[in-house]
Amino acid sequence: MTSGTGTRGPYRISVPTRSDPVLGPLVEGVGGPLGRHADPGRIAPRWFTVERVLILLTVAAAVLAVVVKNPCRLQGWSSPDYFYRACYSDWAELYQSRGLGEGILPFITPGVLFEYPVLLGLLASGTAVLVDLLAGGAAPGTKSLLYFDLNAVLLTGIWILTVLATLRLANRRPWDAVVVATAPVIILSGTINWDLWAVLLATAGMLAFARDRPVLAGALWGLGAAVKLYPVLLLGAVLVLALRSGRIRPFLSASLGAVAFWAAVNVPFLLRDPEGWAYFLTFSESRDAGFSSGWYVYNALADRAGAATLSPAAITAGAMILFALACAGIAVLALRAERRPRLAQLALLIVGAFILCNKVYSPQYALWLVPLIALAVPRWRVVLAWQLVEVLHWIAVWLYLGGRTSGGAPEHNLGLGMYSWAVLAHILATAYVLAVVVGEILAPERDIVRRVGIDDPQGGPFDGAVDRFVLRSGTVSTGAAGRGRGRAVPATPVGTARKNSARAAPIGWQDRGEAVPVPADLGPGPALERTSAARAPSSGPVEDHQ
């Protein structure tokens, strides 16, 4: 037993091959699950720490990502060959078609229009400048290859940092970061565009928020929004938790940081070239539905059937309305749930809804969901099912685009019918993941992250907070509602020290009756540090659950 005025130190980590029924049979060929009598943490693993193993796995996955693109690296990027070889990359295409190899730099060269946000344009420009410094007099094909390779090397570093940030956020489940380190969707789609930079900034922002640094979190999300829009959506999850807990300051601080850093990147270019800066917004609003979105499939099938199609303006309005309704539903769900949802759960629901409602979907958008799935619903059955469908969709996209651009024989292409089924499967698979999260919010005892009284490892200032605003059966309840209200979930007294945040986690977890101690080698990082003082008064003792 321990009082709420102190912490018990870190929880013992969960070993996936013990706790997840899917992984046991899958690892039989590589040694099988961790043995019953194994005692990690008592005997130091020497060099092979959790972090180092994850880094090795990430590097191996990054090598595979380049191997996937090797047909184009050897024979060049040209349409429709890069579709049939499934090695298309925006990096090489933009370098060749937008004049990057000729010294035309987005947001730097006056009058250049670029259909991406500012920071992504600066990344594209910066790597182009680096190519010129390294191989200024080389042939265009050689420079294009070097441009791809430099971006691939940078992506490997970004990928590693994203994995380590996920590990720290996962708290007593560090091995859940393997989902990010080995994700097939990152291997296949990570080298298409610069999306993984936005994924890192979004994940690092969550880590900063988990460590009670909302201004830094907002700053990182603001920078992420200057690469891709989606990181700023995480503020929606913070807002809902702020309303339920009555703690508005973290949301205001994060919002201030996001606006300030987004403006710091964007305002200079807005003042310098308003038309070039605004092109991303006008292009997104006026463009037709993008491949693989539900809107595209509807328009394509309607056009084939001779029915009315939707205009770009109608699609834009419809996508915004559907997303607004989805966000309202998520807010009601979060405010009515018996137990306050975790930040990662709400973030996944919001970003997933944005992907499903948006008028544009590209294969690399799946990268946005990978760390959020690892943190919100770390069940390998769910992870593998979703990734399998996304891989099939990835194949279907290139075969369909190859047919549209080549006009070749039908037997070498994928028609609209099969492609539409692939898009529908992708939509249903993403909706399935979101439905699992909704089910665990409604029945928190099924949430494997919240075992032994854990509240919200990513929640930062909301972790262990008292509920102040809850919707109950058409009424609004205000005041102190206990946070451990889930059915069959061990209720930790309100106000107990936030022992399970990304800074610290209590000792004593036994996964399925088998002790799983914290590895002594995991390092002094905040994910497993001990804290010396509580953050709030206790209302009673907490069991050790040993």
Side-chain angles (χ1 to χ4, degrees):
M1 308 287 283
T2 182
S3 71
T5 58
T7 70
R8 297 173 291 175
Y11 274 121
R12 294 178 174 183
I13 68 171
S14 170
V15 175
T17 55
R18 284 174 169 171
S19 60
D20 196 301
V22 173
L23 283 188
L26 291 180
V27 298
E28 287 295 343
V30 289
L34 192 68
R36 178 180 297 274
H37 300 291
D39 202 5
R42 306 284 185 183
I43 301 175
R46 298 184 182 177
W47 196 87
F48 288 101
T49 65
V50 177
E51 291 170 331
R52 288 171 179 168
V53 170
L54 287 172
I55 291 173
L56 289 175
L57 290 173
T58 307
V59 171
V63 171
L64 287 177
V66 174
V67 170
V68 169
K69 297 297 190 290
N70 215 39
C72 287
R73 293 184 68 257
L74 297 176
Q75 302 181 40
W77 279 270
S78 60
S79 176
D81 293 336
Y82 51 36
F83 293 136
Y84 286 120
R85 296 168 183 159
C87 55
Y88 173 84
S89 173
D90 284 338
W91 296 341
E93 178 64 26
L94 292 171
Y95 188 80
Q96 294 172 350
S97 64
R98 302 304 170 84
L100 290 169
E102 302 167 4
I104 300 175
L105 305 177
F107 299 105
I108 297 177
T109 303
V112 173
L113 301 180
F114 199 62
E115 68 272 26
Y116 292 100
V118 169
L119 195 51
L120 191 151
L122 296 179
L123 288 172
S125 298
T127 46
V129 170
L130 188 56
V131 167
D132 284 339
L133 292 175
L134 296 175
T142 301
K143 293 173 68 176
S144 178
L145 174 60
L146 180 59
Y147 187 77
F148 175 88
D149 288 346
L150 282 175
N151 277 291
V153 170
L154 292 173
L155 176 117
T156 301
I158 296 301
W159 194 347
I160 290 172
L161 293 175
T162 304
V163 169
L164 295 179
T166 305
L167 177 148
R168 293 301 182 190
L169 282 164
N171 191 243
R172 59 169 287 270
R173 302 181 56 89
W175 288 110
D176 289 342
V178 173
V179 173
V180 184
T182 62
V185 296
I186 301 183
I187 294 173
L188 296 176
S189 300
T191 52
I192 293 178
N193 204 291
W194 289 271
D195 289 68
L196 203 59
W197 288 78
V199 173
L200 170 63
L201 290 168
T203 310
M206 291 182 66
L207 182 59
F209 194 85
R211 295 179 175 180
D212 271 354
R213 298 178 182 175
V215 175
L216 176 59
L220 292 168
W221 291 335
L223 292 175
V227 179
K228 293 283 184 172
L229 175 64
Y230 97 91
V232 78
L233 299 178
L234 301 183
L235 285 172
V238 176
L239 173 60
V240 173
L241 295 177
L243 291 175
R244 176 144 181 171
S245 65
R247 298 184 175 183
I248 304 298
R249 178 174 291 181
F251 170 73
L252 296 177
S253 299
S255 299
L256 178 63
V259 171
F261 275 75
W262 181 89
V265 172
N266 282 268
V267 169
F269 297 95
L270 169 62
L271 297 177
R272 180 173 178 264
D273 184 5
E275 183 182 1
W277 178 86
Y279 181 69
F280 163 68
L281 300 176
T282 56
F283 175 80
S284 300
E285 182 180 356
S286 61
R287 69 178 296 181
D288 208 342
F291 294 108
S292 291
S293 69
W295 302 100
Y296 174 85
V297 170
Y298 170 80
N299 266 0
L301 294 176
D303 183 65
R304 171 175 290 188
T309 59
L310 298 173
S311 66
I315 293 173
T316 300
M320 293 177 63
I321 292 172
L322 285 180
F323 181 58
L325 292 175
C327 289
I330 294 168
V332 171
L333 171 69
L335 294 175
R336 291 196 54 148
E338 286 190 75
R339 187 173 184 183
R340 186 172 57 252
R342 294 186 287 113
L343 177 67
Q345 291 175 319
L346 293 177
L348 176 57
L349 291 179
I350 293 172
V351 176
F354 179 77
I355 285 177
L356 293 180
C357 297
N358 197 20
K359 66 188 293 186
V360 178
Y361 179 81
S362 298
Q364 68 269 20
Y365 287 10
L367 275 62
W368 304 357
L369 299 179
V370 176
L372 297 177
I373 290 176
L375 297 170
V377 54
R379 296 181 180 274
W380 280 93
R381 170 179 56 82
V382 176
V383 172
L384 294 177
W386 173 71
Q387 298 218 43
L388 174 62
V389 175
E390 290 294 345
V391 168
L392 295 176
H393 169 261
W394 179 86
I395 297 172
V397 167
W398 307 130
L399 292 178
Y400 179 67
L401 291 177
R404 284 182 58 87
T405 56
S406 71
E411 61 267 23
H412 299 153
N413 304 317
L414 193 68
L416 177 61
M418 288 300 298
Y419 173 68
S420 298
W421 283 112
V423 173
L424 178 61
H426 137 71
I427 292 173
L428 292 177
T430 304
Y432 161 70
V433 175
L434 304 186
V436 172
V437 174
V438 170
E440 293 189 351
I441 290 175
L442 295 176
E445 71 274 9
R446 291 159 48 186
D447 186 352
I448 58 178
V449 174
R450 277 183 151 164
R451 289 176 174 172
V452 296
I454 288 177
D455 183 33
D456 188 355
Q458 299 88 39
F462 304 126
D463 181 27
V466 174
D467 286 337
R468 300 290 182 183
F469 181 88
V470 183
L471 297 176
R472 296 292 186 210
S473 301
T475 63
V476 176
S477 173
T478 58
R483 68 172 174 82
R485 300 173 64 96
R487 300 182 299 276
V489 177
T492 306
V494 176
T496 303
R498 275 179 282 156
K499 54 193 175 299
N500 57 305
S501 69
R503 295 175 304 280
I507 290 175
W509 172 245
Q510 292 186 348
D511 208 339
R512 292 185 173 237
E514 300 176 33
V516 187
V518 173
D521 61 282
L522 197 56
L528 295 171
E529 289 178 0
R530 296 175 182 268
T531 55
S532 59
R535 306 173 62 92
S538 172
S539 60
V542 181
E543 295 183 353
D544 282 337
H545 295 282
Q546 294 197 36

